[in-house]
Amino acid sequence: MYVSSSLHKWGHRHCYFRETMSSRRLQLNAQNDYVVINNGVVEITWTNPGGIIRGIKFKGIDNLLELNNKDLNGGFWDLNWSKAGSEKTRGKFDTIQGTDLQVIVENEEQIELSFTRMWNPAVQDEQAPLYIDRRFVVFRDVPGFYSYAIFEHTKDMPAFNLNTTRIAFMLNKEKFHYMVITDGRQRFMPSAEDRLPGRGEPLAYPEAVLLVDPVEPEFKGEVDDKYQYSLENKDNQVHGWICFDPPVGFWQITPSNEFRTGGPFKQDLTSHVNPTTLAIFLTSHYAGTDLLVKFEPREEWKKVLGPVFTYFNSASDKEMALSLWDDAKRQMNEEVQSWPYSFPTSNEFPNCGQRCVVRGRMLVQDRYLSKENLPGKDAYVGLAAPGDAGSWQRENKGYQFWTTTDEDGYFVITNVRAGSYNLYGLVHGFIGDYKYEVVITITEGSDIELGEVVYEPPRDGPTLWEIGIPDRSAAEFYIPDPNPKYVNKLYINQDKFRQYGLWERYADLYPDNDLVYTVGVSDFQKDWFFAQVNRKIGDNAYQSTTWQIKFNIDNMDQVGAYTLRVALAAANHAELQVRINDPTADPPLLSSGEIGGDNAIARHAIHGIYWLFTVTIPSSVLLGGENTIFLTQAKTANAFQGIMYDYIRLEGPSFQNGSL
C-alpha cells in the first residue's frame, strides 16, 4: 500500500510512518490572518490568531475538511459551559478562538504552535472563564499532526460548570462516505442532507432521525443516530473515515485515557454523519450531571488534555481503500507504545522520566466461595483522585490511570503522573468496588510496590439464587429485535442493544402484565428484559412497572436476616422500590430516591453509571415456601426513566463460622 523508501522517527521511543521521503523542508508561513505549515506530506492552514483549522491538503485532495456547512466548519477545539448552579448538561457552546499565536518550536524536524486565549471579564457571559492554550505539533514528512491543550482556572475567575470539551472535524462531504469505528462497526453512511426535513423524520429526540427519502435509496427506512456509534473510553483509541477516490483515510487516534473523565467504562461519541470525527476529552454523556466539572469561585485548577494524533493515510489503489483501517490500527498501536510523548514543550506535560509505576497483586476474599483467597484475574485496577469506593466513575477534574490484572491477579500501572491517589479496583464476577484505604502519594520517577491487596466483596451469607452476571452490564439479559420500522442495518447481527426504540418493545412483549421471573424455571437470557422501563398508556402518559421475582424457601431460618443485593448497570431519573410479599407495603424495604441521569436507555447503551444496593430482609416478612420480590420503577414522567439491572442475588443468613 505504501512506498517505504524511508522511515521517520522521533521521541524517546521510535514511532514510524511509512511514507515517501520528501525533499522539501518543513515550512511555516505566518500571515496576518492565517498560518500554514507544509511538512512535505500534508499542508495545514489555521486562522491567525484564532487557531481554527480551515484547510488540510493531502494526497491530491485540496481540502479534507468541509467549509460550506451552515454552522460548523473545518477543525476546531470547542467547549460547552454553564453558569454556576446550573444542573443542565448543556449550556453555551464556545468555539475557542485564540487571541495570540506564538511559535514555540521551529526547526528542521518540528514546529509547535501555541494559540492562547486569556479570559476577558468583559465578555464573561459569552466566554468560559478559563485560560486556554491550544498546541499543534507538526513533524517533517509525518502524515498528520498532534494537538493538546492546557486549560486553567485561576483564583480571579468566577465559578462555572464545564460541560464538554472536544476537538471536532467536519470532513469534506463530497469525499468521505465510509465510516469506521471498530473491525465490526463500519459502513457506508447516509449524508447530512438525509437528516433534513422531507428526507428525514425526527423521532423521540433530535439526534435520532428516520430516513424516509434519502439521497441514496439503500438507506431508506433506517434510523441514523450518532449515539449508535459510541465507544467506552478503554476502546475509543482510533476511528474515522475513508475516501475511495482517491483512497485516503482520516483518523483520530487517542493514545492514552489519562486525561479523560469517568474511568475506562465511560462511553462517548466517536464519528458520525455529516461526516464528523471527534476527539472527546470530557462530557456528561452516559453519566449525567455527576460528570459536569463544577468550579468554585477562586478555585485553582489546571489540566493538560491530550496530546491526540490526527492521522492521514493513503493507498495506491481504491480497491485497497478498506485496508487503510488496518494501517490506522497499526499507527494507533505505535502511538500507544510511544506514550508519554517526549515532544510536548509545555512543562505541564511530564515526560517519561517524570512518570511513575505502581505495582501489586489483587486477591479476592469471599469465604462463601473459597477458604483461600482467590486471584483477582482480569480485574480492572486504577489510580484516581482520593474518594469513596467507586468514586472514580464520577471523578472529573484529575487524571486516571488504569490497567488489567493477569491470570494471577498481578498488575502494573505505568506512566503515572506524580500526585496523590487512591487505588481502585473491580473484579469480573464479583459485585461492588475495591478501594485501597491508604492514599498513595507518588513522586516523580518512583516505582511503588504495594504487594498483595485484598478485596472483600459485599456478602453476608451464602447464595440462595442469583439473576445475571456481575459485570456492570445488562448485555446478558434479553434484548429484543427492533421494530422493523426503526432498523440500523449495522446492528442486525451484532450489538442489538444499539438499535433505536427498544424501550417501546417492552409493552409489545408485556402488553397487559409486567414481567414475572421464577427462580429455577426462568432463564435470565430469555426471560429478563434488559431494561425496566415505563409503559406508555397515552400521548405523553406513562405508567410505572413492577417486576416480580418468585422463589421458594424450603428451610426457613426464623432467626437470622436474609440479604438482597441489587446491582444496577444504569439508571436514568429513576426510583427503585423493593418490597417482599406485599406489593403495596408502605414504606417499601428499599426506596432509592431519584437516582441517575446517564440516559443509557435512549442512547443505545447497555450500561451507564454503576449502582449497588443492599436490602436487609427480616425473616419475619418471608414465608416458608413461595415468596415474591416486587421491583418497582416509580418515576413516570417520560419514556426514558428506567433502570438496567446488572445482577441480583439473595443471600441466606450467615453461617455460624461465616465461611465454607
Side-chain angles (χ1 to χ4, degrees):
M1 176 167 58
Y2 292 94
V3 178
S4 304
S5 60
S6 64
L7 295 174
H8 184 84
K9 62 184 180 182
W10 70 92
H12 73 275
R13 296 174 182 149
H14 291 176
C15 189
Y16 299 107
F17 294 85
R18 298 190 292 276
E19 278 288 351
T20 304
M21 179 65 80
S22 169
S23 61
R24 297 179 62 179
R25 296 182 300 107
L26 185 60
Q27 297 177 334
L28 172 66
N29 178 14
Q31 300 295 323
N32 288 336
D33 56 354
Y34 66 88
V35 56
V36 180
I37 294 178
N38 189 316
N39 71 353
V41 177
V42 60
E43 182 178 279
I44 308 165
T45 302
W46 292 263
T47 59
N48 182 13
I52 306 301
I53 302 175
R54 298 290 290 175
I56 300 174
K57 187 175 183 179
F58 179 72
K59 290 294 181 181
I61 301 179
D62 287 339
N63 199 348
L64 302 184
L65 302 178
E66 182 63 50
L67 299 181
N68 296 309
N69 289 325
K70 180 180 178 181
D71 296 315
L72 301 176
N73 288 287
F76 50 88
W77 284 77
D78 72 358
L79 58 84
N80 186 277
W81 67 286
S82 304
K83 291 186 177 181
S86 172
E87 288 301 317
K88 294 183 178 180
T89 58
R90 177 174 290 191
K92 296 182 179 181
F93 276 98
D94 180 357
T95 299
I96 303 166
Q97 293 274 2
T99 55
D100 183 62
L101 165 65
Q102 292 187 24
V103 180
I104 304 298
V105 176
E106 183 180 9
N107 56 46
E108 292 183 353
E109 296 296 325
Q110 174 184 349
I111 294 174
E112 180 167 351
L113 303 179
S114 168
F115 296 92
T116 55
R117 186 180 82 178
M118 303 297 292
W119 179 64
N120 183 356
V123 293
Q124 61 179 314
D125 288 339
E126 302 300 325
Q127 195 177 92
L130 288 170
Y131 170 76
I132 299 173
D133 181 359
R134 289 166 299 139
R135 304 289 184 96
F136 296 90
V137 183
V138 180
F139 289 91
R140 183 167 66 93
D141 293 303
V142 172
F145 62 90
Y146 296 87
S147 187
Y148 66 104
I150 302 99
F151 280 28
E152 184 175 8
H153 187 266
T154 59
K155 61 182 180 181
D156 61 338
M157 294 178 178
F160 84 106
N161 294 350
L162 180 58
N163 307 328
T164 300
T165 299
R166 64 183 187 174
I167 303 174
F169 294 99
M170 306 295 136
L171 303 192
N172 188 319
K173 292 190 288 190
E174 298 301 318
K175 293 295 184 180
F176 292 97
H177 305 290
Y178 191 88
M179 187 179 76
V180 187
I181 307 300
T182 67
D183 286 346
R185 298 170 65 191
Q186 51 183 275
R187 60 169 294 175
F188 285 101
M189 295 292 287
S191 68
E193 183 181 349
D194 293 335
R195 295 177 52 87
L196 298 177
R199 293 195 180 276
E201 178 183 302
L203 295 174
Y205 46 88
E207 294 86 352
V209 172
L210 178 64
L211 308 180
V212 294
D213 185 25
V215 175
E216 299 293 337
E218 65 182 286
F219 300 120
K220 185 175 182 178
E222 286 202 65
V223 171
D224 177 68
D225 183 347
K226 64 183 180 180
Y227 292 107
Q228 293 178 317
Y229 303 104
S230 297
L231 281 174
E232 293 178 340
N233 281 347
K234 65 182 177 62
D235 301 319
N236 192 350
Q237 295 180 295
V238 58
H239 57 88
W241 292 80
I242 292 173
C243 167
F244 284 81
D245 186 18
V248 165
F250 187 110
W251 309 102
Q252 187 58 57
I253 294 176
T254 304
S256 172
N257 284 318
E258 68 176 48
F259 42 78
R260 284 172 166 164
T261 58
F265 308 110
K266 166 72 168 66
Q267 298 159 95
D268 231 311
L269 300 174
T270 56
S271 292
H272 57 80
V273 158
N274 198 51
T276 299
T277 286
L278 304 173
I280 297 286
F281 299 101
L282 64 91
T283 73
S284 61
H285 293 149
Y286 301 98
T289 57
D290 287 333
L291 278 181
L292 300 181
V293 187
K294 299 179 179 181
F295 295 103
E296 300 297 326
R298 301 182 62 79
E299 179 178 352
E300 294 183 285
W301 172 85
K302 186 183 292 185
K303 188 171 184 178
V304 179
L305 305 175
V308 296
F309 184 42
T310 304
Y311 176 58
F312 319 121
N313 57 6
S314 64
S316 57
D317 188 329
K318 65 181 180 181
E319 298 300 322
M320 300 177 66
L322 293 181
S323 66
L324 294 172
W325 167 241
D326 294 325
D327 177 71
K329 290 188 295 180
R330 174 201 60 78
Q331 189 62 48
M332 177 270 291
N333 287 325
E334 292 187 0
E335 299 299 324
V336 170
Q337 292 301 312
S338 297
W339 187 270
Y341 297 131
S342 63
F343 61 77
T345 57
S346 171
N347 292 329
E348 302 300 329
F349 185 83
N351 61 36
C352 188
Q354 297 171 299
R355 301 287 181 131
C356 317
V357 176
V358 176
R359 62 185 82 233
R361 186 188 187 196
M362 173 163 280
L363 300 174
V364 179
Q365 183 182 101
D366 188 334
R367 293 294 178 254
Y368 288 93
L369 294 181
S370 172
K371 293 181 179 180
E372 306 297 328
N373 288 346
L374 302 169
K377 63 180 181 178
D378 300 323
Y380 279 83
V381 181
L383 295 165
D388 298 328
S391 61
W392 52 268
Q393 64 178 339
R394 296 175 172 86
E395 195 278 322
N396 54 44
K397 288 183 179 176
Y399 301 92
Q400 297 196 24
F401 305 88
W402 288 85
T403 191
T404 53
T405 61
D406 65 16
E407 286 291 307
D408 297 313
Y410 289 97
F411 62 88
V412 180
I413 306 174
T414 59
N415 299 321
V416 182
R417 287 170 165 261
S420 296
Y421 303 92
N422 275 135
L423 181 79
Y424 301 97
L426 53 134
V427 187
H428 181 86
F430 295 90
I431 59 174
D433 281 276
Y434 170 78
K435 172 191 168 184
Y436 188 72
E437 290 299 330
V438 178
V439 173
I440 302 170
T441 300
I442 297 174
T443 56
E444 287 188 2
S446 60
D447 190 326
I448 298 175
E449 172 61 63
L450 295 178
E452 293 182 348
V453 298
V454 181
Y455 175 45
E456 297 182 47
R459 183 184 282 280
D460 290 328
T463 299
L464 299 185
W465 50 259
E466 58 189 350
I467 300 172
I469 301 169
D471 60 0
R472 298 173 179 250
S473 165
E476 68 269 29
F477 297 126
Y478 178 71
I479 300 171
D481 292 329
N483 184 324
K485 291 172 56 180
Y486 306 123
V487 171
N488 183 319
K489 294 176 183 176
L490 185 62
Y491 301 116
I492 291 175
N493 296 313
Q494 64 170 331
D495 292 353
K496 284 202 301 182
F497 62 85
R498 299 188 190 279
Q499 296 281 11
Y500 173 85
L502 297 184
W503 58 88
E504 296 177 344
R505 298 286 286 117
Y506 176 77
D508 295 336
L509 295 169
Y510 299 91
D512 301 313
N513 301 305
D514 285 325
L515 183 151
V516 178
Y517 186 94
T518 302
V519 173
V521 176
S522 300
D523 179 348
F524 64 75
Q525 293 179 312
K526 300 177 181 178
D527 303 316
W528 190 272
F529 199 77
F530 79 102
Q532 185 171 2
V533 294
N534 291 324
R535 183 189 305 279
K536 187 173 184 179
I537 56 175
D539 291 340
N540 297 317
Y542 299 91
Q543 183 182 67
S544 68
T545 55
T546 297
W547 292 6
Q548 300 179 43
I549 304 173
K550 294 185 177 296
F551 63 98
N552 286 312
I553 298 180
D554 295 328
N555 299 305
M556 198 46 202
D557 187 314
Q558 300 293 336
V559 179
Y562 292 71
T563 303
L564 183 70
R565 311 281 183 187
V566 182
L568 304 183
N572 189 55
H573 301 290
E575 179 183 350
L576 173 63
Q577 298 177 354
V578 179
R579 297 175 173 85
I580 306 291
N581 290 329
D582 181 358
T584 62
D586 189 15
L589 284 176
L590 169 73
S591 176
S592 68
E594 184 171 325
I595 57 171
D598 55 43
N599 215 12
I601 293 170
R603 289 178 171 170
H604 325 294
I606 202 63
H607 72 84
I609 294 286
Y610 178 79
W611 303 79
L612 179 62
F613 296 98
T614 297
V615 184
T616 300
I617 305 175
S619 58
S620 59
V621 304
L622 292 170
L623 305 172
E626 185 175 275
N627 292 265
T628 303
I629 294 173
F630 297 93
L631 303 173
T632 298
Q633 195 297 105
K635 297 295 183 181
T636 59
N638 60 62
F640 305 122
Q641 289 179 293
I643 55 182
M644 296 183 193
Y645 295 93
D646 167 40
Y647 175 75
I648 302 175
R649 181 174 74 208
L650 182 66
E651 300 168 8
S654 62
F655 295 146
Q656 266 193 330
N657 62 3
S659 64
L660 291 174

